[in-house]
């Protein structure tokens, strides 16, 4: 996969104008955008239709955790918008994940990705909700559950990509947020990594938000990401 296809830029904005501005500035530098609940709620689905009409791929990060019927409806709505990726919480169990996967079958380009343990959670947070497992054990358990339910891949931190690649095999998508450039402050990321480290560990795609969208020169920041990824492709 060429470096540009692996990079997903997260449009974490509360208004359409800010999103349009960065999309225009990045132009052909970025082919893949993530739209989350903040921007979807603030700007509505027209932005997604606009991105798809421009030939961009869209990862709609809905983080679904609902009864299976409602999950299926939301996935169908996402598929009808033309998005390429949608997320579902595997902590909701097999029926919820399987409902998402079944609903996505009508949309050949749509991939369903499972969230396992969100990166802000610790083993002690799991204990609080009655789960007596470490975050990494729980994450692998949920990743296997998602795969058995037919998911195309998982969301994971860069530091968890290697064991998940080993557990899920070569064709699973492993999409890693929590990515920053070498030397950049990890900010609020719990288990961060560089583009090179994430891909060398087995990530198929990386998600970057503020590293690109808050850069003084977003195009230059994308070029640094691609240069770092090129290093990963040559050495892996
Ligand atoms: O930190 P950054 O701006 O790169 O975040 C981009 C995306 O990564 C966010 O939209 C968020 O969904 C995701 N993220 C995450 N875990 C974190 C931090 C960010 O999943 N610890």
């Amino acid at each position: 996969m060429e470096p540009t296809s692996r990079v997903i830029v997260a449009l974490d904005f509360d208004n359409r104008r800010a999103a349009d501005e960065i999309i225009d500035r990045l132009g052909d530098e970025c082919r893949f955008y993530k739209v989350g609940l903040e921007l979807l709620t603030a700007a509505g689905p027209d932005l997604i239709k606009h991105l798809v009409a421009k030939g961009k791929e869209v990862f709609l990060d809905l983080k679904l955790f609902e009864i299976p019927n409602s999950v299926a409806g939301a996935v169908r709505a996402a598929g009808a918008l033309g998005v390429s990726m949608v997320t579902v919480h595997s902590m909701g169990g097999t029926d919820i994940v399987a409902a998402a996967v079944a609903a996505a079958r009508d949309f050949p380009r749509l991939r369903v990705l499972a969230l396992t343990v969100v990166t802000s959670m610790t083993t002690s947070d799991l204990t609080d909700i009655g789960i007596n497992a470490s975050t990494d054990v729980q994450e692998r358990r949920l990743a296997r559950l998602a795969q058995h339910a037919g998911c195309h891949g998982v969301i994971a931190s860069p530091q968890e990509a290697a064991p998940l690649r080993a557990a899920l095999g070569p064709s699973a998508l492993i999409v890693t947020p929590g990515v920053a450039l070498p030397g950049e402050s990890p900010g609020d990321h719990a288990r961060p990594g560089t583009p090179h480290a994430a891909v060398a560990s087995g990530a198929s795609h990386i998600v970057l938000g503020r590293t690109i969208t808050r850069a003084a020169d977003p195009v230059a920041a994308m070029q640094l990401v691609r240069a770092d990824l090129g290093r990963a492709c040559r050495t892996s």
Side-chain angles (χ1 to χ4, degrees):
M1 198 186 293
E2 58 176 297
T4 322
S5 315
R6 293 182 183 277
V7 182
I8 303 173
V9 171
L11 295 171
D12 291 325
F13 295 110
D14 64 3
N15 67 89
R16 166 115 191 221
R17 181 136 48 102
D20 279 338
E21 201 177 298
I22 196 83
I23 293 161
D24 286 346
R25 280 186 82 175
L26 287 174
D28 293 339
E29 284 290 332
C30 180
R31 290 196 207 143
F32 213 144
Y33 287 99
K34 178 167 96 76
V35 175
L37 295 172
E38 181 186 17
L39 185 60
L40 179 67
T41 307
D46 279 356
L47 170 70
I48 294 159
K49 291 183 196 157
H50 170 72
L51 284 168
V52 172
K54 278 170 83 78
K56 305 296 181 190
E57 290 203 68
V58 178
F59 166 6
L60 189 55
D61 196 8
L62 291 179
K63 297 182 162 67
L64 297 167
F65 196 148
E66 248 283 15
I67 59 167
N69 186 54
S70 301
V71 166
V75 169
R76 278 195 296 275
L81 288 173
V83 310
S84 307
M85 292 177 177
V86 69
T87 42
V88 59
H89 272 286
S90 53
M91 247 193 212
T94 300
D95 286 356
I96 286 174
V97 179
V101 171
R105 287 206 184 100
D106 289 337
F107 306 94
R109 69 187 294 184
L110 182 58
R111 300 284 172 262
V112 177
L113 300 172
L115 293 148
T116 57
V117 180
V118 293
T119 55
S120 56
M121 279 188 109
T122 62
T123 298
S124 135
D125 291 323
L126 289 180
T127 308
D128 285 350
I129 58 168
I131 295 168
N132 294 313
S134 62
T135 51
D136 53 340
V137 166
Q138 181 67 1
E139 186 168 88
R140 261 167 272 162
R141 174 185 297 158
L142 292 176
R144 279 193 292 268
L145 178 154
Q147 193 178 45
H148 288 145
C151 257
H152 303 96
V154 295
I155 308 295
S157 84
Q159 294 178 27
E160 283 130 10
L164 285 173
R165 177 60 68 204
L168 300 179
S171 59
L173 298 177
I174 298 180
V175 178
T176 61
V179 173
L181 280 165
E184 193 183 10
S185 150
D188 54 10
H189 289 302
R191 302 189 279 282
T194 62
H196 171 109
V199 171
S201 302
S204 58
H205 297 79
I206 57 171
V207 179
L208 295 109
R210 290 161 291 183
T211 293
I212 306 293
T213 58
R214 313 290 162 165
D217 184 344
V219 170
M222 275 298 272
Q223 286 164 349
L224 288 174
V225 170
R226 272 203 279 121
D228 197 59
L229 279 178
R231 197 163 71 89
C233 293
R234 283 196 298 279
T235 56
S236 61

